[in-house]
Every structure is written in structure tokens, then in C-alpha cells.
Amino acid sequence: MKNLTVKKSKACFDMAKKFIPGGVNSPVRAFKAVGMDPLFIEKGSGAYIYDADGHRYIDYVLSWGALILGHADPRVIKPVAGILKKGTSFGAPTKKEITLARLITELYPSIEKVRLTSSGTEAAMSAIRLSRGYTGKQKIIKFEGCYHGASDSLLVKAGSGAATFGVPSSSGVNQSFTQDTIILPFNNIDKVEEVIKREKNNLACVIVEPIPANMGVILPKDDFLKKLSKVTRENKVILIFDEVITGFRVALGGAQEIFSIRPDLTILGKILGGGFPIAAFGGKREIMDFLSPDGPVYQAGTLSGNPVAVEAGINTLKILIRNNKIYERLEALGMSLESGLKRIIRQTAFQVALQRQGSLFTLFFTDREEVADYDGVSRCDLRKFARFFQKMLSRGIYLAPSQFEANFISIKHSSADIKKTLSAVERSLNGDR
Ligand code: HOZ
């Protein structure tokens, strides 16, 4: 294994730490969980990113899943360049917002009306407020290890960076903000049913990542989601699917398409903006009409629905809609990665478990056959994960720098990229030969 020369990245990081807390604008990027300094990225093209020292990597982070078409797809970038000349933000409505809203409602039958925001955090926070305003009830249920952005009432036992740094419940969040958040283990439907029936008169909503991907990829068991949908409906509790990661990723219509479930509200982001900052929340008309200016629940944003991100979003969705083979191709790439990894795991008898849904996957460093919840992820060998990550990086493979995150494949990844990745996995698991 060759050591990476990362002098320029290191110099950038030293400088960044002087002006930016921890040197980064989002914690998990700091690479702390994998015991090294972060790479500074110069550019991306297709399935690859290039660091400040000129190394090329096959990228499985893809801006945390946003870039399903790969980096700098000209079909997204060129029209955006055209839009930029006409102005970047007006703080007033534009026609293309209607186009994007309509596309979303066509792809997600559960969404009759939708509002655009600039980040998933805002969208999730607003969906919670809307649920409370609509039902007149206070409490919410979220699942341990699921992550719905960094707003106060949702930053309890959260996944992603919060779990990575061992502070799943952040300091600085008043207890009064979280006392109405009930935390339950994912995949345990008996517990969920018991609590919903008991708390139904106080419970505004249940928020869930239908396929959690912020504690690594966890697959919902049997009919966990179907039963969750039934028990929320029967007890007049709003069901919110956070599909920021799974939306347009596991299928064009997200996890709700795969499981044939219509949640009351849905949160979208990442792919929706094609690499630009945008997110959305939407759902049943009668709930969405509770939003200001028609209803009493306030929600707003200066850059919400800005023309640049909207243009990127429209073009990304149109490409996904027109090319119905894209999801077949992503599944084929995911499948070839899975079968290769499983062969290596069998041959080497290494204690790792692969979990995958389409182009979304995680390798868990565990002796268990499957990981079904946050407790299972917490038992993984984080030191082994960190060593594996470092070895993969030195072999030109850029994976998510935390056991508590997912990896992503884009349509620009080729069979040769998958082959190279598998060879790097084999050598990294086996140590250096
Ligand atoms: N919360 C994101 C991953 N699930 C990380 C965002 C970032 O660091 O860019």
C-alpha cells in the first residue's frame, strides 16, 4: 500500500482550522472518525474526484448522495450557466418553481402540494412544525440513529455526524425542545404500536427514514413500514417519510414507491437539487394548506425556490424520468459490487456485513449477519472500519468517512470502476501483499 502524499490538503486544513471551527463546514467531513485529516477537493468529473495534491479517487460519497448523475454532468450544468445570466435570486415567485413542484407531485403520488426550502434540515423542521400545527398535538416519535437534519427537536439520538462523534444528542439543545421527542428503536414494530396507542392523543407525528441511511444502510424488516403506516393512520398520527437520501435514489418515486406506502408528508433533498442547495416537504393538500400564507403555520426562506437550484433540479429530474434504464443500470452496478464483495467476504472469512438497496450501500465491520438498528451499528468495530477506510483511500477509493454513513453509486460509475473497487477491497481486507 502506498502512502498518499497529501501536503497540499494538509496545508489547506491547517489554514482552514484557523478560520472555520474544526476546519470544516459540516463535522463528518473532518475525517476524525477515520483518524486522519480530510482531503481538500479541487474538482469532480463523472465518478471521480481530484484532491488538492492531484490524486484521483473513485467517489462513493457523491456529495452525500446528491450526485446520482455523477459530478458536473453537462446536462445539468449548462442550463444552470444560462440561468445565472438572468439573475440568481429574486425573493419573488418564478415560473420554474411551478414546473419543479409539478414534477415532484407527478413522481410522488402522496404529495399533492409541496414547498421548496434550501436544506433538508429546514424541510424536516418545517414538516414537524406543520404536523404540530395541523394536529394541535405536541409529541413526535423519531427512531434511534435516524437523522433528520440539525434542528433542535430532531437532534436527539441522531445518526450521521452526530453519531459519528458520539454526541447523538447535541449539547446546546434545551431539554424543553426535546422533551416531546420520543425515541424508539427502528424495526421494532411492537414497541412502536404500543407507544402510538398509548400516546395517540398527544402525538402529532412519526418521522422516519424509510430506509435509514444515516447510521449506515439499514433495511426495514418484513412489513415494518406497512404496519407503521397502518398504526399511524388508525390513530390519526401524521406519518412523515424523510426521503432526503432515498428519494430519487432507490427508485424515482423513492422508498415509498418500493414499499407502496403513501405517507402523509414527505421530505426530499439531495438529488432534487442536482448538487445545488434545495430541499422540499410536501404531502396531503389539507395538511399543506395549513402553511402560511393560507394557514397558521409559519415557514419562510429568502433563497427558497431560487432559480439556480430549481433549474438544476428540473434538469436532473427530467434526465431521470426520460432514461428509464437508469435505475436498472444502478441496480446492476450495485449487484455486481455486492456479489463481488460477498465473494471476498466468503473467501477471506472477514467479519463484515454488506447491506444494500440499489445504489446505496454500507459495509459494516461486525460479526453479525445483519445490522437492523442503531444498537447493531454501535457494536461495529470502528477501529477496523477506520483502518479499512484509510487503505481504500490510499488505493484511490473515496468511501464515506464514517461507519454511520452510506455510500452511493452514480450512473457514471463503470464496470471497470467496480472491478477496481473490489480489487482494492480484497487487498485492504487482507492487509498489504
Ligand atoms: N449529513 C450528511 C451525511 N448524512 C453530511 C453532510 C456533509 O458533511 O456534507
Side-chain angles (χ1 to χ4, degrees), residues 26-261:
S26 191
V28 77
R29 299 177 194 178
F31 275 24
K32 268 196 173 179
V34 287
M36 56 186 294
D37 289 346
L39 300 179
F40 275 64
I41 305 303
E42 281 288 315
K43 62 173 184 180
S45 172
Y48 308 117
I49 48 173
Y50 299 78
D51 70 13
D53 293 271
H55 305 294
R56 188 183 89 162
Y57 304 87
I58 301 175
D59 183 17
Y60 288 100
V61 175
L62 296 168
S63 189
W64 301 95
L67 302 174
I68 196 166
L69 303 175
H71 292 274
D73 187 309
R75 296 168 298 176
V76 178
I77 302 301
K78 278 198 184 141
V80 167
I83 281 289
L84 285 172
K85 292 184 199 136
K86 294 188 184 172
T88 53
S89 179
F90 307 113
T94 57
K95 265 195 284 187
K96 292 220 171 159
E97 289 164 69
I98 313 169
T99 310
L100 184 56
R102 178 181 270 178
L103 278 175
I104 294 172
T105 59
E106 283 166 6
L107 296 174
Y108 288 75
S110 70
I111 301 181
E112 291 173 314
K113 282 191 174 181
V114 60
R115 178 153 291 172
L116 302 178
T117 63
S118 294
S119 73
T121 292
E122 266 182 83
M125 180 183 80
S126 306
I128 296 289
R129 185 184 305 141
L130 178 58
S131 303
R132 286 178 164 145
Y134 177 77
T135 59
K137 298 187 276 182
Q138 293 300 313
K139 293 194 180 180
I140 64 173
I141 287 178
K142 87 169 270 295
F143 293 92
E144 211 177 352
C146 282
Y147 179 73
H148 309 287
S151 70
D152 285 351
S153 68
L154 293 168
L155 212 47
V156 197
K157 299 248 171 116
S160 190
T164 299
F165 298 114
V167 279
S169 306
S170 171
S171 147
V173 175
N174 287 354
Q175 207 203 333
S176 56
F177 289 131
T178 57
Q179 68 195 9
D180 288 328
T181 306
I182 301 170
I183 310 295
L184 296 178
F186 188 76
N187 265 333
N188 184 339
I189 195 62
D190 293 343
K191 187 85 198 151
V192 177
E193 287 176 347
E194 177 203 314
V195 174
I196 290 182
K197 284 175 194 162
R198 191 181 68 224
E199 295 284 350
K200 64 180 177 194
N201 295 329
N202 308 313
L203 200 54
C205 65
V206 175
I207 184 165
V208 65
E209 293 181 75
I211 302 173
N214 281 292
M215 49 173 154
V217 176
I218 304 292
L219 302 173
K221 280 194 175 169
D222 312 322
D223 41 10
F224 176 74
L225 293 172
K226 276 253 179 285
K227 287 186 173 163
L228 179 61
S229 165
K230 182 164 180 281
V231 69
T232 46
R233 196 172 50 248
E234 287 172 355
N235 291 281
K236 299 197 171 17
V237 171
I238 289 179
L239 177 61
I240 307 174
F241 269 15
D242 181 339
E243 297 231 45
V244 166
I245 288 184
T246 50
F248 315 105
R249 165 62 62 186
V250 295
L252 197 47
Q256 53 195 271
E257 177 184 312
I258 295 183
F259 296 105
S260 306
I261 290 173

Side-chain angles (χ1 to χ4, degrees), residues 191-433:
K191 187 85 198 151
V192 177
E193 287 176 347
E194 177 203 314
V195 174
I196 290 182
K197 284 175 194 162
R198 191 181 68 224
E199 295 284 350
K200 64 180 177 194
N201 295 329
N202 308 313
L203 200 54
C205 65
V206 175
I207 184 165
V208 65
E209 293 181 75
I211 302 173
N214 281 292
M215 49 173 154
V217 176
I218 304 292
L219 302 173
K221 280 194 175 169
D222 312 322
D223 41 10
F224 176 74
L225 293 172
K226 276 253 179 285
K227 287 186 173 163
L228 179 61
S229 165
K230 182 164 180 281
V231 69
T232 46
R233 196 172 50 248
E234 287 172 355
N235 291 281
K236 299 197 171 17
V237 171
I238 289 179
L239 177 61
I240 307 174
F241 269 15
D242 181 339
E243 297 231 45
V244 166
I245 288 184
T246 50
F248 315 105
R249 165 62 62 186
V250 295
L252 197 47
Q256 53 195 271
E257 177 184 312
I258 295 183
F259 296 105
S260 306
I261 290 173
R262 291 196 180 189
D264 301 300
L265 294 175
T266 298
I267 302 160
L268 297 168
K270 305 230 189 240
I271 291 173
L272 177 63
F276 290 80
I278 207 169
F281 65 105
K284 289 194 174 134
R285 183 175 291 112
E286 62 171 277
I287 303 177
M288 291 303 288
D289 282 344
F290 253 65
L291 276 180
S292 183
D294 290 349
V297 176
Y298 196 71
Q299 186 277 333
T302 298
L303 290 175
S304 294
N306 75 83
V308 182
V310 165
E311 181 71 21
I314 292 171
N315 290 304
T316 303
L317 296 197
K318 284 193 172 163
I319 293 166
L320 296 175
I321 293 166
R322 269 191 227 121
N323 301 286
N324 54 7
K325 291 271 161 24
I326 281 181
Y327 291 92
E328 281 171 35
R329 175 169 157 68
L330 288 170
E331 172 58 26
L333 288 168
M335 180 51 93
S336 90
L337 189 68
E338 175 174 335
S339 48
L341 286 172
K342 290 202 163 148
R343 175 186 50 79
I344 294 168
I345 294 168
R346 251 192 334 270
Q347 284 169 0
T348 54
F350 267 100
Q351 293 186 327
V352 278
L354 173 74
Q355 294 189 178
R356 177 182 76 88
Q357 179 71 49
S359 56
L360 187 62
F361 68 95
T362 300
L363 264 181
F364 289 105
F365 283 74
T366 177
D367 54 2
R368 297 175 175 202
E369 264 177 36
E370 62 159 16
V371 180
D373 54 20
Y374 182 71
D375 183 56
V377 188
S378 308
R379 288 166 196 270
C380 287
D381 189 329
L382 303 184
R383 292 224 312 266
K384 276 191 189 159
F385 170 81
R387 274 203 302 277
F388 174 72
F389 173 89
Q390 291 177 10
K391 289 179 180 178
M392 290 295 281
L393 197 68
S394 73
R395 295 188 162 107
I397 315 292
Y398 191 94
L399 296 171
S402 163
Q403 180 70 99
F404 298 87
E405 298 285 359
N407 299 283
F408 305 87
I409 304 173
S410 78
I411 56 158
K412 299 285 167 32
H413 284 74
S414 64
S415 304
D417 293 326
I418 300 290
K419 219 169 142 197
K420 186 171 173 211
T421 305
L422 288 171
S423 145
V425 170
E426 193 158 16
R427 284 179 295 148
S428 299
L429 285 178
N430 273 331
D432 297 319
R433 286 188 291 198

